[in-house]
Amino acid sequence: MAELIFNTCLNYLVLALCIFMLLSDLPSPATAASVQYNVVSLGAKADGKTDSSKAFLSAWASACGSTSAATVYVPQGQFLVRSASFVGPCKNSAITVRIDGTLVAPSDYSVNGNGGNWILFRDVTGLSVLGGILNGQGTGLWACKLSGKSCPGGATNLEISNSKNVLVSGLSSLNSQMFHIVINACQNVKMQGVKVSASGTSPNTDGIHIGASTGVTILNSKIGTGDDCVSIGPGSNNLWIQNIACGPGHGISIGSLGKDQQEDGVQNVTVNTVTFTGTQNGVRIKSWAKPSNSFARNILFQHAIMNGVQNPIIIDQNYCPENSGCPNQASGVRVSDVTYQDIHGTSATEVAVKFDCSSTYPCSGIKMQDVKLTYQNQVATASCTHAGGTASGTEQPSSCL
Ligand SMILES: *[C@@H]1O[C@H](CO)[C@@H](O)[C@H](O)[C@H]1NC(C)=O
């Protein structure tokens, strides 16, 4: 009798547990319920020389076509992949691409160099790219560009376009032919623990470029490259960039803005806790010296350390390469409400703070709070043209606002 009661109880317990699990929708999509497509099972070879593109695309097709959460799994090893587009919309909104190995681009730049992208995700809602190394093998194309020959534009290592609810975590991007990572026309993207590495002399190898996107967070990342560590293009807002090591490279840049007459502006950007080492710029806002309806506003640069940076704080509204197509040399871009707070360290040039604003639309609402920058162990200088605002706290160099 006791045994019967015990068994009955056990059954009820199991039933209760099952109901609980059903109600709370367990197991969670990211773990046990996720179907997994291993690229090796689909024919990829971890030898670094067999073209594995087809296996990657077929794993994607299965994951994207799955009606429940799905994982593309890339085991350890080197996988040669040609330019590949992983395109939605998908039948589920919880796709994980888990990479334990390295994706290697063809070293011959004529294979990928004209297509603009190497690895592309487009039209996906709910994507996590976890781990992995992307080796763009860009050195051949850089050499071509630096020699002044005519060369292909090059491919971006990773572009995520037209997508929503994206996580990129623990990814390394090496030697991209062109920009390393591009976030284009996306909403709600989080990137963390990303490493970008390319030579300080490599041309156009921006670390992370954000364009036309809303709600992008970049955390705890290390970027060393030949162009901007992070660049922010037109139509981007609600960005949060925190805890970044930048260098070598050209710094963190909003712009270039105002290339086009009709252009979406940039607003609500926070750049917080960045160390710049040996970079061309620290925090920069840059615009073309020509008519435009674009703007940059509500920008906060906070807690930055400059180590031998050429232009630690700079607004440059006189960008006009080769001095062509910039009538009157005045930018239409309105720059307003930009705060520089707790920024200190060393400048590699005498002018550590440079506000070179538009004569038609002077910069307004610039706030400097606790800025201390030295040049060769002396106080550096500041230069203001068409810039208005206020300064408080420590100001070295003394404010020219
Ligand atoms: C500004 O962006 C942050 C994210 O970086 C967001 O949390 C905040 O709500 C945004 N503020 C406005 C006014 O949109």
Side-chain angles (χ1 to χ4, degrees), residues 339-357:
T339 299
Y340 301 88
Q341 202 174 58
D342 181 28
I343 296 183
H344 59 99
T346 59
S347 173
T349 67
E350 194 178 343
V351 183
V353 176
K354 187 173 181 183
F355 297 128
D356 189 3
C357 296

Side-chain angles (χ1 to χ4, degrees), residues 61-127:
S62 300
C64 184
S66 164
T67 50
S68 63
T71 297
V72 170
Y73 178 60
V74 182
Q76 286 189 0
Q78 308 260 326
F79 297 90
L80 180 68
V81 178
R82 288 170 173 247
S83 69
S85 298
F86 303 103
V87 179
C90 296
K91 293 212 164 96
N92 72 87
S93 51
I95 299 187
T96 301
V97 178
R98 179 180 291 281
I99 310 172
D100 285 340
T102 301
L103 275 61
V104 183
S107 58
D108 175 359
Y109 57 76
S110 67
V111 180
N112 280 350
N114 289 302
N117 295 296
W118 175 31
I119 305 296
L120 170 71
F121 292 94
R122 180 159 47 80
D123 298 326
V124 185
T125 298
L127 170 71

Side-chain angles (χ1 to χ4, degrees), residues 124-348:
V124 185
T125 298
L127 170 71
S128 301
V129 179
L130 308 180
I133 300 172
L134 303 181
N135 181 354
Q137 305 227 74
T139 53
L141 182 64
W142 307 341
C144 175
K145 286 184 175 177
L146 291 171
S147 76
K149 277 188 280 190
S150 95
C151 326
T156 288
N157 263 4
L158 172 66
E159 174 165 336
I160 300 175
S161 190
N162 258 301
S163 295
K164 222 158 82 175
N165 306 340
V166 176
L167 170 68
V168 176
S169 181
L171 177 88
S172 296
S173 176
L174 307 181
N175 298 344
S176 184
Q177 290 179 353
M178 249 273 289
F179 288 13
H180 279 261
I181 299 172
V182 169
I183 305 296
N184 174 53
C186 289
Q187 284 166 53
N188 188 23
V189 177
K190 183 171 177 184
M191 313 184 71
Q192 59 189 18
V194 169
K195 284 199 191 115
V196 170
S197 174
S199 151
T201 57
S202 56
N204 313 118
T205 52
D206 292 40
I208 300 174
H209 177 80
I210 303 164
S213 295
T214 297
V216 181
T217 302
I218 306 173
L219 301 177
N220 310 336
S221 295
K222 191 172 180 329
I223 301 169
T225 190
D227 209 305
D228 295 335
C229 288
V230 177
S231 56
I232 297 165
S236 301
N237 52 63
N238 301 357
L239 312 183
W240 190 276
I241 297 165
Q242 182 170 5
N243 199 16
I244 309 289
C246 166
H250 293 183
I252 294 185
S253 189
I254 296 178
S256 309
L257 301 179
K259 188 176 187 192
D260 297 324
Q261 167 67 47
Q262 293 294 324
E263 189 184 280
D264 292 329
V266 170
Q267 63 185 329
N268 188 19
V269 177
T270 299
V271 175
N272 181 329
T273 315
V274 181
T275 302
F276 296 91
T277 304
T279 51
Q280 185 195 73
N281 307 288
V283 290
R284 174 170 66 169
I285 297 174
K286 180 180 173 188
S287 79
W288 286 74
K290 59 192 218 175
S292 173
N293 67 344
S294 194
F295 58 83
R297 62 186 177 227
N298 298 335
I299 316 287
L300 174 60
F301 296 113
Q302 201 178 32
H303 312 311
I305 298 172
M306 306 286 170
N307 295 319
V309 172
Q310 289 173 46
N311 306 294
I313 293 177
I314 180 165
I315 297 178
D316 172 11
Q317 295 208 259
N318 281 301
Y319 182 58
C320 189
E322 278 144 41
N323 255 341
S324 76
C326 309
N328 311 322
Q329 298 281 314
S331 178
V333 176
R334 281 84 159 163
V335 176
S336 62
D337 299 313
V338 183
T339 299
Y340 301 88
Q341 202 174 58
D342 181 28
I343 296 183
H344 59 99
T346 59
S347 173

